[in-house]
Amino acid sequence: MRSTPELSLNDYGVSLQNGFLPNPPPLKTLENSYYWPWEDIVRDLTAHIQNRTIRQAVEELPVLSTSELKEEPEWRRAYLLLAYLTHAYIWGGEKPKDILPPAISSPFLEISNHLELPPCATYAALNLWNFSTPHADADLTDPDILSVTASFTGTKDEEWFLMISVAMEAKGAQLIPLMLDAIHAASIDDAQRVTDLLNQLSEGLKELRKLLERMYEHNRPSVFFHQLRPLLAGSKNMAAAGLPNGVFYDIGGGQGKWHQYSGGSNAQSSLIQTFDIFLGVEHVATGGIKTNGTVQPPAKNGFMQEMRNYMPGSHRRFLEMLAEVSNVRDYALSHRPSSTVRDAYNAAVMSLGVFRDSHIQIVTRYIIMAAKTKPPTNGPVQMNLATSTTTHMKKSNEKVTEGIHGTGGTDLIPFLKQTRDTTKATASYAD
């Protein structure tokens, strides 16, 4: 068995206290007044989107240098601001805008390069670096006390949607050292220790599922689907929504480049992929979408692998390291069926599968069913991914699951079901 390497979680941007969340919590604002033009628009982002003034506000921005950004929290805050401005600019009108002006493109590309992230609204921008606590010792696992520092809609629904994920990240942080301990225990053939740790992981996954199911408390499906989700959409696989070539990132002087990126997605959570890697779950689902009856060519390594490109570089390297040392599945399968180790392993896998069952149920309620509802009458309606999906649903008199796309352009429900089924199939009850 391979031993876990001597490692410092700090080297991977992971903390024992907060997991993949920053410790201490992220900045609420950039103190340097040089960057206040960005802060000012984001602070009033909801009004700009509602009043259709977001594009004018962005186009009047000066092209700011990144040279005033010093510490990593400042770079992360700047990334968050420009991610929100990017998606509000692209999707905050009657039709999507396919050219991003230099005031956004130029600094965003530099900041993204520094953080090893794509220049779009990733899970890191929306969740990991977008929360605030009432005091320094606040319990991050309690979504009731968390708040966002940037918002598209200004609604409690959006805040709750994002803060549930933050609370889950904090709760899951407790499971990361547990998994590393299990890898070490397997490497020294301590079967009882591996069994105990796997049982603890199963309980931890159940707690995460309970947190996920609290989504219903303050996030109304109609608000999520019609007001928030359109602004989370990416620029990849978005021809039907009005972006056949993606978005042109104009850096001025006649220079720039077309880019296509997935939208914000929980598949970009390093925590969820940590569970998969630890348990030996290998996803091959591509999330490919059908065009004229044919499926587009799949990503080389599947959608979940592709989503690692949307994680901070240090977190991506953590997953790569974990994949190198992960040994628990092989260790469990080296024991006879019905042994305590095998049973504990299978139970952990099934707990992750049940977690994904809950996720499918939430997606069904917030997207599939919500797509059949009327958009709110008190706000603007964007011509984009969400309205395209709504049209598809209203034209159908049958129970439709195919053809409903995620913010990243995936064929949503078939992809999620395949991911769930792959997870459960990883369990082994016989030789």
Side-chain angles (χ1 to χ4, degrees):
M1 291 293 175
R2 291 167 291 180
S3 299
T4 53
E6 293 296 326
L7 63 90
S8 168
L9 288 179
N10 288 335
D11 294 341
Y12 297 99
V14 182
S15 75
L16 289 174
Q17 180 180 352
N18 291 0
F20 295 102
L21 297 172
N23 188 23
L27 297 178
K28 297 179 182 180
T29 186
L30 286 172
E31 294 184 359
N32 189 335
S33 60
Y34 178 75
Y35 294 110
W36 286 359
W38 297 346
E39 292 280 4
D40 289 343
I41 299 180
V42 172
R43 184 178 60 249
D44 299 328
L45 195 57
T46 300
H48 278 301
I49 293 172
Q50 291 178 345
N51 297 328
R52 300 294 200 213
T53 57
I54 180 59
R55 288 173 177 166
Q56 179 182 350
V58 167
E59 288 162 2
E60 292 175 352
L61 279 172
V63 179
L64 301 181
S65 168
T66 61
S67 62
E68 297 297 313
L69 298 171
K70 305 303 180 185
E71 304 298 326
E72 286 303 289
E74 294 177 306
W75 286 90
R76 293 169 186 162
R77 177 65 184 176
Y79 179 83
L80 177 157
L81 294 172
L82 293 176
Y84 270 79
L85 290 176
T86 293
H87 281 242
Y89 184 85
I90 293 171
W91 296 111
E94 293 183 1
K95 294 183 179 181
K97 199 82 166 177
D98 65 355
I99 299 178
L100 198 62
I104 298 296
S105 297
S106 184
F108 202 12
L109 288 166
E110 292 179 17
I111 292 166
S112 298
N113 183 61
H114 175 86
L115 295 169
E116 301 177 78
L117 283 164
C120 59
T122 60
Y123 183 85
L126 297 165
N127 301 85
L128 300 182
W129 303 337
N130 185 31
F131 69 93
S132 177
T133 60
H135 53 81
D137 298 324
D139 180 7
L140 299 186
T141 68
D142 181 4
D144 287 304
I145 65 172
L146 301 176
S147 57
V148 295
T149 64
S151 176
F152 290 114
T153 67
T155 62
K156 177 63 177 178
D157 307 78
E158 176 181 350
E159 183 170 69
W160 191 251
F161 169 69
L162 298 174
M163 293 305 97
I164 284 290
S165 288
V166 171
M168 289 173 61
E169 291 284 342
K171 192 77 173 176
Q174 305 163 12
L175 304 178
I176 296 173
L178 179 154
M179 288 183 278
L180 294 175
D181 286 348
I183 290 172
H184 175 68
S187 72
I188 61 174
D189 195 19
D190 187 342
Q192 186 58 54
R193 180 67 174 157
V194 173
T195 299
D196 292 343
L197 291 167
L198 284 169
N199 288 332
Q200 291 178 44
L201 177 62
S202 291
E203 292 304 310
L205 288 168
K206 292 176 185 177
E207 292 299 316
L208 284 181
R209 179 167 56 86
K210 290 178 183 178
L211 259 179
L212 176 63
E213 291 175 348
R214 291 190 63 189
M215 184 66 71
Y216 306 114
E217 292 180 16
H218 300 295
N219 183 18
R220 293 165 291 176
S222 62
V223 174
F224 170 79
F225 184 83
H226 292 291
Q227 294 184 337
L228 174 59
R229 186 172 180 261
L231 295 160
L232 299 179
S235 54
K236 185 176 183 179
N237 295 334
M238 290 296 158
L243 297 177
N245 301 311
V247 173
F248 185 79
Y249 283 63
D250 180 4
I251 59 175
Q255 296 182 312
K257 186 178 179 181
W258 288 95
H259 293 277
Q260 295 188 15
Y261 297 113
S262 293
S265 169
N266 281 358
Q268 296 163 11
S269 166
S270 299
L271 177 67
I272 302 303
Q273 292 214 21
T274 294
F275 297 138
D276 282 332
I277 294 171
F278 171 75
L279 291 171
V281 179
E282 296 184 2
H283 295 289
V284 295
T286 66
I289 63 175
K290 291 184 178 179
T291 303
N292 297 326
T294 61
V295 178
Q296 292 184 359
K300 182 178 180 181
N301 297 311
F303 181 74
M304 298 295 278
Q305 182 73 26
E306 181 189 351
M307 286 298 97
R308 293 192 194 178
N309 296 326
Y310 292 78
M311 300 174 185
S314 57
H315 296 173
R316 187 163 60 248
R317 284 186 285 277
F318 174 82
L319 297 182
E320 292 168 354
M321 177 278 295
L322 191 66
E324 288 292 321
V325 302
S326 184
N327 57 8
V328 170
R329 185 171 195 272
D330 288 344
Y331 183 74
L333 296 185
S334 72
H335 290 70
R336 60 178 175 78
S338 300
S339 64
T340 56
V341 174
R342 183 84 74 94
D343 286 348
Y345 170 78
N346 288 339
V349 170
M350 297 309 292
S351 290
L352 183 58
V354 172
F355 174 87
R356 289 197 156 109
D357 281 331
S358 292
H359 185 214
I360 291 172
Q361 292 167 9
I362 287 176
V363 168
T364 299
R365 181 170 178 176
Y366 281 87
I367 298 178
I368 305 304
M369 294 173 64
K372 293 180 176 292
T373 66
K374 293 181 179 180
T377 58
N378 60 344
V381 178
Q382 283 76 248
M383 287 296 294
N384 54 29
L385 173 67
T387 53
S388 159
T389 301
T390 303
T391 301
H392 175 87
M393 292 296 290
K394 288 184 182 232
K395 288 181 178 178
S396 173
N397 295 319
E398 301 175 1
K399 182 178 179 182
V400 177
T401 57
E402 291 191 6
I404 308 304
H405 303 156
T407 48
T410 58
D411 200 356
L412 192 56
I413 292 298
F415 167 72
L416 292 177
K417 286 184 175 179
Q418 185 175 349
T419 300
R420 184 268 319 274
D421 294 343
T422 298
T423 301
K424 292 185 177 181
T426 303
S428 179
Y429 295 94
D431 288 325

mmCIF file of all heavy atoms in Angstrom, residues 401-420:
data_model
loop_
_atom_site.group_PDB
_atom_site.id
_atom_site.type_symbol
_atom_site.label_atom_id
_atom_site.label_comp_id
_atom_site.label_asym_id
_atom_site.label_seq_id
_atom_site.Cartn_x
_atom_site.Cartn_y
_atom_site.Cartn_z
ATOM 1 N N THR A 401 -36.825 15.204 -19.389
ATOM 2 C CA THR A 401 -35.581 15.329 -18.634
ATOM 3 C C THR A 401 -34.414 15.609 -19.556
ATOM 4 O O THR A 401 -33.464 16.275 -19.187
ATOM 5 C CB THR A 401 -35.282 14.043 -17.830
ATOM 6 O OG1 THR A 401 -35.236 12.936 -18.720
ATOM 7 C CG2 THR A 401 -36.342 13.801 -16.777
ATOM 8 N N GLU A 402 -34.489 15.114 -20.792
ATOM 9 C CA GLU A 402 -33.414 15.384 -21.737
ATOM 10 C C GLU A 402 -33.616 16.747 -22.376
ATOM 11 O O GLU A 402 -34.728 17.223 -22.547
ATOM 12 C CB GLU A 402 -33.369 14.303 -22.818
ATOM 13 C CG GLU A 402 -32.921 12.943 -22.289
ATOM 14 C CD GLU A 402 -32.636 11.976 -23.396
ATOM 15 O OE1 GLU A 402 -32.668 12.389 -24.570
ATOM 16 O OE2 GLU A 402 -32.370 10.801 -23.103
ATOM 17 N N GLY A 403 -32.518 17.379 -22.721
ATOM 18 C CA GLY A 403 -32.591 18.672 -23.384
ATOM 19 C C GLY A 403 -32.635 19.839 -22.428
ATOM 20 O O GLY A 403 -32.671 20.990 -22.849
ATOM 21 N N ILE A 404 -32.639 19.573 -21.112
ATOM 22 C CA ILE A 404 -32.591 20.642 -20.124
ATOM 23 C C ILE A 404 -31.135 20.815 -19.725
ATOM 24 O O ILE A 404 -30.514 19.918 -19.176
ATOM 25 C CB ILE A 404 -33.447 20.295 -18.892
ATOM 26 C CG1 ILE A 404 -34.859 19.900 -19.325
ATOM 27 C CG2 ILE A 404 -33.490 21.478 -17.940
ATOM 28 C CD1 ILE A 404 -35.564 20.946 -20.166
ATOM 29 N N HIS A 405 -30.583 21.976 -20.007
ATOM 30 C CA HIS A 405 -29.148 22.180 -19.871
ATOM 31 C C HIS A 405 -28.784 22.856 -18.559
ATOM 32 O O HIS A 405 -29.505 23.720 -18.069
ATOM 33 C CB HIS A 405 -28.617 23.017 -21.043
ATOM 34 C CG HIS A 405 -28.907 22.406 -22.376
ATOM 35 N ND1 HIS A 405 -28.981 23.138 -23.528
ATOM 36 C CD2 HIS A 405 -29.147 21.113 -22.736
ATOM 37 C CE1 HIS A 405 -29.254 22.333 -24.545
ATOM 38 N NE2 HIS A 405 -29.361 21.105 -24.086
ATOM 39 N N GLY A 406 -27.639 22.459 -18.019
ATOM 40 C CA GLY A 406 -27.102 23.120 -16.839
ATOM 41 C C GLY A 406 -26.431 24.414 -17.231
ATOM 42 O O GLY A 406 -26.281 24.735 -18.415
ATOM 43 N N THR A 407 -26.010 25.194 -16.230
ATOM 44 C CA THR A 407 -25.352 26.470 -16.507
ATOM 45 C C THR A 407 -24.036 26.274 -17.243
ATOM 46 O O THR A 407 -23.521 27.201 -17.866
ATOM 47 C CB THR A 407 -25.106 27.245 -15.200
ATOM 48 O OG1 THR A 407 -24.523 26.368 -14.235
ATOM 49 C CG2 THR A 407 -26.399 27.805 -14.658
ATOM 50 N N GLY A 408 -23.492 25.064 -17.163
ATOM 51 C CA GLY A 408 -22.274 24.776 -17.904
ATOM 52 C C GLY A 408 -22.540 24.192 -19.275
ATOM 53 O O GLY A 408 -21.616 23.858 -20.002
ATOM 54 N N GLY A 409 -23.829 24.051 -19.638
ATOM 55 C CA GLY A 409 -24.176 23.521 -20.944
ATOM 56 C C GLY A 409 -24.359 22.025 -20.969
ATOM 57 O O GLY A 409 -24.510 21.436 -22.024
ATOM 58 N N THR A 410 -24.358 21.360 -19.806
ATOM 59 C CA THR A 410 -24.528 19.916 -19.779
ATOM 60 C C THR A 410 -25.987 19.538 -19.996
ATOM 61 O O THR A 410 -26.896 20.295 -19.685
ATOM 62 C CB THR A 410 -24.089 19.343 -18.413
ATOM 63 O OG1 THR A 410 -24.858 19.969 -17.384
ATOM 64 C CG2 THR A 410 -22.622 19.571 -18.174
ATOM 65 N N ASP A 411 -26.192 18.322 -20.528
ATOM 66 C CA ASP A 411 -27.536 17.759 -20.622
ATOM 67 C C ASP A 411 -27.863 17.281 -19.212
ATOM 68 O O ASP A 411 -27.478 16.199 -18.796
ATOM 69 C CB ASP A 411 -27.551 16.618 -21.633
ATOM 70 C CG ASP A 411 -28.949 16.324 -22.136
ATOM 71 O OD1 ASP A 411 -29.894 16.950 -21.634
ATOM 72 O OD2 ASP A 411 -29.077 15.474 -23.029
ATOM 73 N N LEU A 412 -28.575 18.086 -18.462
ATOM 74 C CA LEU A 412 -28.528 18.104 -17.008
ATOM 75 C C LEU A 412 -28.930 16.806 -16.313
ATOM 76 O O LEU A 412 -28.105 16.171 -15.638
ATOM 77 C CB LEU A 412 -29.393 19.261 -16.501
ATOM 78 C CG LEU A 412 -29.241 19.624 -15.031
ATOM 79 C CD1 LEU A 412 -27.791 19.926 -14.702
ATOM 80 C CD2 LEU A 412 -30.109 20.825 -14.709
ATOM 81 N N ILE A 413 -30.189 16.400 -16.435
ATOM 82 C CA ILE A 413 -30.664 15.269 -15.647
ATOM 83 C C ILE A 413 -29.986 13.948 -16.040
ATOM 84 O O ILE A 413 -29.560 13.183 -15.168
ATOM 85 C CB ILE A 413 -32.190 15.161 -15.723
ATOM 86 C CG1 ILE A 413 -32.823 16.356 -15.010
ATOM 87 C CG2 ILE A 413 -32.685 13.861 -15.107
ATOM 88 C CD1 ILE A 413 -32.504 16.445 -13.525
ATOM 89 N N PRO A 414 -29.839 13.631 -17.338
ATOM 90 C CA PRO A 414 -29.108 12.400 -17.687
ATOM 91 C C PRO A 414 -27.694 12.396 -17.104
ATOM 92 O O PRO A 414 -27.219 11.354 -16.632
ATOM 93 C CB PRO A 414 -29.091 12.426 -19.215
ATOM 94 C CG PRO A 414 -30.307 13.207 -19.591
ATOM 95 C CD PRO A 414 -30.409 14.283 -18.549
ATOM 96 N N PHE A 415 -27.042 13.563 -17.123
ATOM 97 C CA PHE A 415 -25.685 13.635 -16.573
ATOM 98 C C PHE A 415 -25.686 13.356 -15.077
ATOM 99 O O PHE A 415 -24.878 12.578 -14.570
ATOM 100 C CB PHE A 415 -25.089 15.016 -16.856
ATOM 101 C CG PHE A 415 -23.833 15.291 -16.076
ATOM 102 C CD1 PHE A 415 -22.652 14.657 -16.401
ATOM 103 C CD2 PHE A 415 -23.838 16.178 -15.010
ATOM 104 C CE1 PHE A 415 -21.490 14.893 -15.677
ATOM 105 C CE2 PHE A 415 -22.692 16.420 -14.280
ATOM 106 C CZ PHE A 415 -21.519 15.781 -14.614
ATOM 107 N N LEU A 416 -26.599 14.000 -14.350
ATOM 108 C CA LEU A 416 -26.644 13.828 -12.899
ATOM 109 C C LEU A 416 -26.993 12.392 -12.523
ATOM 110 O O LEU A 416 -26.440 11.831 -11.570
ATOM 111 C CB LEU A 416 -27.656 14.791 -12.282
ATOM 112 C CG LEU A 416 -27.281 16.280 -12.342
ATOM 113 C CD1 LEU A 416 -28.406 17.124 -11.767
ATOM 114 C CD2 LEU A 416 -25.986 16.539 -11.595
ATOM 115 N N LYS A 417 -27.915 11.788 -13.267
ATOM 116 C CA LYS A 417 -28.291 10.405 -12.972
ATOM 117 C C LYS A 417 -27.143 9.447 -13.251
ATOM 118 O O LYS A 417 -26.905 8.501 -12.489
ATOM 119 C CB LYS A 417 -29.523 10.008 -13.791
ATOM 120 C CG LYS A 417 -30.816 10.635 -13.264
ATOM 121 C CD LYS A 417 -32.027 10.145 -14.036
ATOM 122 C CE LYS A 417 -33.317 10.683 -13.428
ATOM 123 N NZ LYS A 417 -34.517 10.230 -14.171
ATOM 124 N N GLN A 418 -26.408 9.694 -14.333
ATOM 125 C CA GLN A 418 -25.267 8.828 -14.627
ATOM 126 C C GLN A 418 -24.193 8.977 -13.558
ATOM 127 O O GLN A 418 -23.572 7.998 -13.142
ATOM 128 C CB GLN A 418 -24.682 9.152 -16.003
ATOM 129 C CG GLN A 418 -23.574 8.194 -16.415
ATOM 130 C CD GLN A 418 -23.077 8.439 -17.833
ATOM 131 O OE1 GLN A 418 -23.681 9.187 -18.590
ATOM 132 N NE2 GLN A 418 -21.971 7.806 -18.191
ATOM 133 N N THR A 419 -23.989 10.209 -13.090
ATOM 134 C CA THR A 419 -23.020 10.451 -12.029
ATOM 135 C C THR A 419 -23.429 9.726 -10.749
ATOM 136 O O THR A 419 -22.607 9.091 -10.080
ATOM 137 C CB THR A 419 -22.903 11.966 -11.755
ATOM 138 O OG1 THR A 419 -22.481 12.623 -12.949
ATOM 139 C CG2 THR A 419 -21.901 12.250 -10.660
ATOM 140 N N ARG A 420 -24.712 9.794 -10.422
ATOM 141 C CA ARG A 420 -25.239 9.095 -9.242
ATOM 142 C C ARG A 420 -25.089 7.590 -9.381
ATOM 143 O O ARG A 420 -24.648 6.899 -8.451
ATOM 144 C CB ARG A 420 -26.702 9.496 -9.055
ATOM 145 C CG ARG A 420 -27.415 8.941 -7.808
ATOM 146 C CD ARG A 420 -28.130 7.602 -8.082
ATOM 147 N NE ARG A 420 -28.822 7.523 -9.343
ATOM 148 C CZ ARG A 420 -30.070 7.949 -9.553
ATOM 149 N NH1 ARG A 420 -30.748 8.516 -8.578
ATOM 150 N NH2 ARG A 420 -30.636 7.793 -10.749
#
